[in-house]
């Protein structure tokens, strides 16, 4: 769906301003995330509105700000459906380290999701963009253009052990991807993924088994 939008040229976001010199381009990437997330939502929403769309996409919902992901997609599959939670990550093509070790979601939140539903699907949608300016010949001002040029999509559960890292900062800690542009896949079950998350958590110098046990009791991962 994203590639089709890029191929069709529906990949440019125009940022109008009354600033005569245009937007401050050296800082524009700081606001790219929510803008590109909104673009992705509109792409999915327009496809869903076509009742005969070939992807059988039937539901598109924005998720609350502090939810696990940004967008919920639901696809019709025979007599059932498949639900995907999509986390949109914007990365800049012209910034060398963009996409390195982004925070994906909290340890406790994502582990709980797989306990509640072993078929939980968490998709990381990485959208690479470039930003440039163009003079608007009608308004005589400078338009900022944010153009999505590439994308990658990954199922978090299947990322390789070496691609997933754990940052103990912020609450129960954040699951990170070392480099969102270059990852490898390893097939695993939901239980095997929970075990991987536990290893990452316990291998941190700032976490102990007592910390893990407290989270396990709080979120009902274990029965006591």
């Amino acid at each position: 769906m994203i590639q089709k939008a890029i191929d069709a040229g529906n990949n440019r976001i125009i940022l109008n301003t009354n600033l005569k010199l245009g937007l401050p381009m050296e800082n524009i990437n700081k606001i790219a995330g929510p803008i590109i997330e909104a673009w992705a939502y509109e792409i999915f929403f327009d496809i869903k509105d076509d009742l005969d769309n070939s992807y059988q996409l039937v539901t598109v919902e924005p998720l609350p700000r502090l939810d696990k992901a940004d967008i919920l997609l639901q696809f019709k599959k025979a007599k059932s459906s498949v639900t995907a939670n999509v986390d949109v990550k914007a990365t800049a093509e012209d910034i060398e380290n963009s996409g390195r070790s982004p925070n994906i979601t909290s340890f406790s939140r994502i582990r709980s999701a797989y306990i509640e539903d072993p078929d939980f699907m968490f998709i990381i949608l990485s959208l690479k963009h470039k930003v440039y300016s163009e003079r608007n010949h009608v308004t005589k001002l400078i338009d900022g253009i944010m153009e999505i040029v590439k994308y990658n999509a990954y199922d978090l559960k299947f990322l390789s052990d070496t691609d997933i890292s754990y940052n103990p900062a912020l609450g129960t800690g954040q699951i990170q991807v070392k480099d969102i542009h270059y990852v490898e896949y390893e097939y695993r079950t939901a239980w095997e993924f929970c075990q991987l998350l536990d290893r990452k958590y316990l291998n941190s110098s700032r976490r102990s088994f007592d910390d893990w046990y407290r989270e396990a009791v709080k979120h009902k991962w274990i029965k006591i």
Side-chain angles (χ1 to χ4, degrees):
M1 290 182 279
I2 297 297
Q3 188 61 56
K4 185 176 180 180
I6 294 173
D7 293 343
N10 188 20
N11 60 331
R12 299 169 83 240
I13 303 165
I14 300 175
L15 306 175
N16 299 116
T17 175
N18 63 350
L19 297 173
K20 294 181 179 180
L21 298 179
L23 296 167
M25 301 303 288
E26 65 275 11
N27 294 312
I28 197 67
N29 289 305
K30 294 180 180 179
I31 64 170
I35 294 173
I36 289 177
E37 178 187 326
W39 173 86
Y41 176 80
E42 288 194 4
I43 294 297
F44 294 135
F45 192 86
D46 288 347
I47 292 171
K48 185 269 299 181
D49 270 359
D50 177 4
L51 299 181
D52 295 320
N53 72 82
S54 60
Y55 309 100
Q56 295 188 300
L57 178 62
V58 294
T59 301
V60 179
E61 293 181 5
L63 294 174
R65 179 176 174 271
L66 297 178
D67 209 301
K68 291 179 286 292
D70 300 312
I71 304 170
L72 184 141
L73 304 180
Q74 193 170 63
F75 301 86
K76 183 179 179 182
K77 185 178 181 182
K79 296 182 179 180
S80 62
S81 62
V82 175
T83 300
N85 293 263
V86 180
D87 187 36
V88 181
K89 296 298 181 187
T91 60
E93 186 178 43
D94 55 350
I95 298 178
E96 184 177 354
N97 293 323
S98 182
R100 301 278 178 88
S101 297
N103 288 330
I104 303 300
T105 187
S106 79
F107 164 76
S108 292
R109 182 177 292 174
I110 196 65
R111 194 188 191 285
S112 295
Y114 287 98
I115 294 295
E116 294 166 7
D117 178 11
D119 294 323
F120 182 78
M121 188 180 298
F122 188 92
I123 303 298
I124 302 170
L125 175 59
S126 171
L127 298 175
K128 184 176 283 191
H129 65 277
K130 61 181 179 180
V131 183
Y132 53 93
S133 297
E134 282 185 355
R135 180 168 294 280
N136 187 314
H137 296 293
V138 175
T139 65
K140 307 302 180 182
L141 298 174
I142 303 295
D143 288 341
I145 311 295
M146 194 171 288
E147 183 175 350
I148 291 81
V149 293
K150 296 177 183 176
Y151 84 98
N152 285 299
Y154 315 110
D155 188 330
L156 177 64
K157 185 170 71 175
F158 298 134
L159 292 189
S160 73
D161 190 320
T162 56
D163 286 318
I164 297 173
S165 59
Y166 171 78
N167 181 351
L170 299 177
T172 62
Q174 289 285 315
I175 300 303
Q176 298 181 327
V177 177
K178 290 184 178 178
D179 190 333
I180 206 167
H181 303 305
Y182 303 99
V183 301
E184 294 182 355
Y185 260 30
E186 291 179 11
Y187 179 80
R188 59 173 67 88
T189 64
W191 171 231
E192 289 170 335
F193 184 62
C194 287
Q195 290 176 299
L196 181 150
L197 294 176
D198 289 343
R199 287 199 308 274
K200 302 289 183 179
Y201 181 89
L202 292 169
N203 285 340
S204 168
S205 60
R206 291 171 57 181
R207 302 298 181 190
S208 66
F209 180 79
D210 288 341
D211 294 325
W212 182 92
Y213 184 77
R214 183 178 61 253
E215 292 300 316
V217 172
K218 177 181 178 181
H219 297 286
K220 300 180 181 180
W221 302 339
I222 58 176
K223 295 181 180 180
I224 57 173

